[in-house]
Amino acid sequence: MQATQYLSFMNQIDTINKASEHVSGLLQGRKPVAGIVLGSGLGKLADLIEDPIAIPYTDIPGFPPSTAIGHKGNFIVGNLAGKCVIAMQGRIHYYEGYGIDKVVLPIRVMIKLGIRNLFVSNAAGGTNFDFRIGDLMIITDQINLIPSPLVGPNIDEFGPRFPDMTRPYDPSLIRLGVEVAAKLDIPVRKGVYLAVTGPAYESPAEYRFFRMAGADAVGMSTAPEVIVARHAGIPVFGMSVITDVATATDAEGYITDGHEIVAIADKAAEKMSKIFLEVLRQI
């Protein structure tokens, strides 16, 4: 390992440790068993957390601020569905200009704190012609076109050099999610999520390309977080809110609007929150 590469590697480990120690010191002895990543417009689930401790990202050593629309940028720790959880009220995106190590830093901190399951959510564009705006999709697999967070020296403390990604989203949690949604009478889709860097929204030709590649929905997050969780052997449950659809982009005059996407995700937040709560309750 070259000297500069070694120094960068050690700095990354030091950042993870310092951030984890800082957050742990604020938890008053609490031990989160589940981590939750709340994406665009979906931060309201954090409002349901009881006896919350709010920790702004800007207060945590080494953490970058979250600048995306609809992302408040806090860790919220407290009780949800009878369990201690740590929720990300907004995530860090690669398109914000941060290195991929910073993008996944919150996930690695949650892993260091002892989470045993990770729940992820996002707003996504539907490439599947059957999808409609406002649909909820349980993620069954992913295609990652964002740089991998595992490039570089392996952090052996978290997992192996070549982690298995055969089942990035846990099959038992997928089944439970489908069962819970049916009992709650909430329609859900299932499908493959494709992650791109952004921040430009997809062109009609890109939507067609992604659909041919096997994607049902596309967004600008999530996949690197899932890779890091699976590297550490953490089971993952994920859902997308379909906030725009590929079929609309062919219409002359159509414009993808970021604020409208957040508003659509916000409307779907209650339904997704109910599913997350019940799955969390049953694990």
Side-chain angles (χ1 to χ4, degrees):
M1 189 186 304
Q2 295 180 351
T4 54
Q5 188 181 35
Y6 177 77
L7 181 60
S8 175
F9 175 64
M10 294 307 296
N11 285 340
Q12 184 179 352
I13 293 175
D14 186 57
T15 298
I16 295 168
N17 289 337
K18 285 181 177 178
S20 302
E21 290 167 6
H22 179 85
V23 173
S24 179
L26 298 174
L27 297 190
Q28 302 170 4
R30 301 184 194 189
K31 302 292 183 182
V33 298
I36 306 173
V37 183
L38 301 171
S40 299
L42 300 170
K44 287 186 176 180
L45 181 59
D47 296 335
L48 301 178
I49 296 176
E50 299 172 348
D51 193 20
I53 297 173
I55 307 171
Y57 296 159
T58 50
D59 289 351
I60 304 172
F63 263 56
S66 180
T67 66
I69 300 172
H71 292 249
K72 292 185 178 180
N74 299 309
F75 269 144
I76 307 292
V77 182
N79 298 317
L80 190 66
K83 294 180 172 66
C84 182
V85 303
I86 178 166
M88 290 178 62
Q89 201 174 27
R91 55 164 47 95
I92 312 299
H93 298 82
Y94 187 68
Y95 66 71
E96 294 174 79
Y98 303 122
I100 195 66
D101 59 314
K102 294 292 188 182
V103 172
V104 298
L105 175 58
I107 307 300
R108 283 181 165 145
V109 167
M110 291 195 289
I111 293 169
K112 288 277 287 187
L113 293 175
I115 64 165
R116 299 197 294 269
N117 291 276
L118 180 67
F119 292 70
V120 294
S121 66
N122 57 59
T127 57
N128 188 316
F129 283 151
D130 293 332
F131 286 6
R132 298 292 177 264
I133 291 174
D135 280 355
L136 297 179
M137 183 186 87
I138 294 176
I139 308 173
T140 58
D141 205 343
Q142 68 181 35
I143 301 169
N144 181 45
L145 299 183
I146 300 174
S148 171
L150 303 184
V151 170
N154 186 56
I155 307 178
D156 295 335
E157 174 187 353
F158 286 94
R161 169 76 282 185
F162 301 106
D164 175 52
M165 287 293 290
T166 309
R167 288 167 290 277
Y169 297 85
D170 188 77
S172 63
L173 293 178
I174 292 171
R175 287 192 295 270
L176 180 57
V178 171
E179 293 169 5
V180 163
K183 288 179 181 178
L184 293 172
D185 197 26
I186 298 175
V188 292
R189 308 280 193 171
K190 292 194 295 181
V192 176
Y193 176 85
L194 184 146
V196 295
T197 62
Y201 290 113
E202 295 73 35
S203 71
E206 287 170 334
Y207 265 138
R208 291 193 293 271
F209 176 73
F210 295 149
R211 182 170 59 253
M212 288 188 292
D216 295 289
V218 58
M220 306 173 190
S221 66
T222 304
E225 300 160 352
V226 173
I227 290 171
V228 163
R230 296 304 303 136
H231 181 231
I234 304 294
V236 180
F237 178 73
M239 292 190 70
S240 297
V241 177
I242 305 304
T243 52
D244 58 301
V245 290
T247 50
T249 62
D250 289 324
E252 187 173 348
Y254 175 83
I255 296 175
T256 307
D257 183 272
H259 293 281
E260 183 179 347
I261 283 174
V262 171
I264 293 168
D266 192 58
K267 289 180 181 179
E270 183 177 353
K271 292 185 293 184
M272 182 181 286
S273 295
K274 288 180 179 179
I275 295 172
F276 270 34
L277 282 168
E278 193 56 33
V279 171
L280 179 61
R281 197 185 316 277
Q282 294 190 37
I283 61 173

